[in-house]
């Protein structure tokens, strides 16, 4: 039936088995050609939905990583100016397209948005540690997502090949049943 009968999925994504013998494949699943093709088309659609979700997660992480790196740079700048008595003049975004200027004199701590409208105050050292950990986690998550997407693309390709093989097998079987001379030549 397939080259890897014990193919398993990756993180909830079911693996597609490569079909060597279409007739055996269909009989083992107890399906006719149309049902087999419908099953494979449905599986292909499921893969597409998962791919869209993974691509959205990838875009979010790719946007998040530069933001974390910028925060790390800001915290490093604040930490470097700490104790010098020299104020920092900073422009910051209040709202989309609206900026304000601030004079920051005491740089002993920073406030970080954690999400869900939560902000906490950290020392520069704690903030750096937290941001470094978040950056490492985001990069690791991105690597896993890229691997998941590659696995998913492989499954899509295998499924598309299987659909083509089932369809071609069906055409060949119909020609044989009709006694077509073209079928005996191939």
């Amino acid at each position: 039936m397939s080259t890897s009968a014990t193919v398993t999925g990756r993180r909830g994504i079911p693996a597609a088995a490569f079909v060597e013998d279409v007739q055996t494949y269909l009989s083992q699943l107890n399906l006719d050609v149309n049902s087999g093709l419908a099953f494979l088309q449905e599986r292909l659609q499921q893969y597409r939905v998962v791919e869209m979700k993974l691509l959205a997660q990838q875009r979010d992480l790719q946007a998040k990583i530069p933001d974390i790196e910028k925060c790390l740079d800001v915290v490093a700048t604040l930490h470097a100016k700490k104790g010098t008595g020299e104020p920092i003049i900073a422009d910051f975004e209040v709202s989309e397209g609206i900026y304000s200027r601030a004079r920051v004199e005491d740089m002993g701590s920073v406030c970080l948005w954690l999400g869900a409208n939560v902000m906490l105050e950290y020392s520069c050292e704690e903030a750096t540690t937290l941001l470094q950990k978040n950056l490492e986690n985001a990069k690791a998550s991105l690597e896993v997502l890229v691997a998941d997407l590659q696995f998913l693309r492989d499954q899509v390709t295998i499924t598309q090949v299987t659909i083509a093989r089932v369809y071609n097998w069906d055409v060949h079987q119909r020609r044989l049943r009709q006694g077509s001379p073209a079928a005996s030549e191939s």
Side-chain angles (χ1 to χ4, degrees), residues 55-120:
L55 286 171
Q57 290 175 3
Q58 183 184 30
R59 278 191 304 275
D60 291 346
L61 279 173
Q62 287 173 331
K64 184 178 182 179
I65 289 172
D67 288 344
I68 295 171
E69 290 171 339
K70 286 178 191 174
C71 287
L72 273 167
D73 289 343
V74 169
V75 171
T77 301
L78 291 173
H79 189 62
K81 296 284 186 171
K82 182 179 172 182
T84 62
E86 181 181 334
I88 294 178
I89 305 298
D91 293 327
F92 62 95
E93 191 171 18
V94 176
S95 174
E96 189 173 331
I98 300 173
Y99 293 86
S100 183
R101 181 162 285 169
R103 179 185 172 110
V104 182
E105 294 182 11
D106 179 20
M107 295 163 245
S109 64
V110 296
C111 293
L112 298 178
W113 285 107
L114 301 180
N117 292 326
V118 175
M119 178 185 275
L120 287 178

Side-chain angles (χ1 to χ4, degrees), residues 2-104:
S2 74
T3 55
S4 54
T6 60
V7 177
T8 59
R10 175 183 172 89
R11 292 185 2 117
I13 303 168
F18 179 77
V19 174
E20 291 178 20
D21 182 3
V22 174
Q23 187 169 4
T24 304
Y25 171 75
L26 291 173
S27 64
Q28 285 184 348
L29 292 178
N30 199 22
L31 298 172
D32 63 6
V33 173
N34 290 332
S35 298
L37 285 170
F39 169 76
L40 291 167
Q41 290 289 352
E42 183 179 330
R43 176 62 57 94
L44 188 60
Q45 185 60 31
Q46 290 169 349
Y47 286 146
R48 295 291 185 203
V49 168
V50 171
E51 181 181 30
M52 296 306 293
K53 290 178 183 177
L54 291 178
L55 286 171
Q57 290 175 3
Q58 183 184 30
R59 278 191 304 275
D60 291 346
L61 279 173
Q62 287 173 331
K64 184 178 182 179
I65 289 172
D67 288 344
I68 295 171
E69 290 171 339
K70 286 178 191 174
C71 287
L72 273 167
D73 289 343
V74 169
V75 171
T77 301
L78 291 173
H79 189 62
K81 296 284 186 171
K82 182 179 172 182
T84 62
E86 181 181 334
I88 294 178
I89 305 298
D91 293 327
F92 62 95
E93 191 171 18
V94 176
S95 174
E96 189 173 331
I98 300 173
Y99 293 86
S100 183
R101 181 162 285 169
R103 179 185 172 110
V104 182

